[in-house]
Amino acid sequence: DVWTCDVGSVIGPPYNVFALASADGLAVPGAPVTGGTEMILTGKGFVSGGSSGGSSSSSSSAATVRLACARGVVDVQGAVVSDEEVRFRAPSFEKFGPVNAQCRLKLGTKSFTNGTVDLPYFAVTDCSKTVAFGPGLLTAAVGEPTTFVIQAKDKASKNR
């Protein structure tokens, strides 16, 4: 007797994700809840393991990045840049708030990766709740050192 078992959905696709960074090179981890930040998802096998059989141009249009948290899921399209890099724009996460989102990648008709990388979303400053105070705001002379404090808060009045 011969038995076979399709374990593809258990072990995952022939590519995986390892890390996530913002494309601007800043050391700020994550993205604002308003979205829009270009992100770089790094891993292995994006071109060779994708549905296109090695053609990066056709796999570019078929890259889907899934960002999930306990409150929901958002899928966005990404572009395969190389065998080790996919770029995408972080979507708005305002309806979920400043939480950690798990990122998974899907190329073409293959399944999403079993491995995940975290994308921490952070709240943005609300100017209507931010104050500045100190002697430097009212009595400073041009060219003279001065001191003042800016207290930035987000829409939930939490310190930023």
Side-chain angles (χ1 to χ4, degrees):
D1 290 341
V2 175
W3 297 88
T4 63
C5 179
D6 182 8
V7 294
S9 62
V10 176
I11 62 169
Y15 49 87
N16 203 1
V17 294
F18 301 137
L20 187 64
S22 64
D24 59 15
L26 296 177
V28 177
V33 294
T34 53
T37 304
E38 186 177 0
M39 305 300 293
I40 301 172
L41 189 59
T42 56
K44 198 77 166 165
F46 297 156
V47 175
S48 59
S51 63
S52 64
S55 170
S56 63
S57 63
S58 60
S59 66
S60 292
S61 62
T64 303
V65 179
R66 174 167 286 171
L67 295 112
C69 68
R71 298 179 187 148
V73 173
V74 177
D75 288 348
V76 294
Q77 293 301 306
V80 176
V81 176
S82 70
D83 198 49
E84 299 178 352
E85 184 176 306
V86 170
R87 288 180 178 244
F88 69 97
R89 288 224 175 263
S92 170
F93 238 58
E94 291 178 282
K95 63 183 176 182
F96 306 124
V99 297
N100 275 340
Q102 290 186 332
C103 288
R104 296 177 189 266
L105 178 67
K106 176 182 178 181
L107 299 177
T109 59
K110 301 219 186 281
S111 63
F112 281 98
T113 56
N114 288 346
T116 64
V117 291
D118 284 344
L119 173 56
Y121 275 95
F122 56 86
V124 294
T125 301
D126 183 347
C127 64
S128 69
K129 297 181 186 275
T130 298
V131 297
F133 57 91
L137 294 175
L138 300 174
T139 59
V142 175
E144 295 295 318
T146 188
T147 303
F148 62 93
V149 175
I150 298 174
Q151 180 59 63
K153 296 190 179 263
D154 63 18
K155 71 177 184 177
S157 295
K158 293 183 180 174
N159 291 336
R160 289 275 302 133

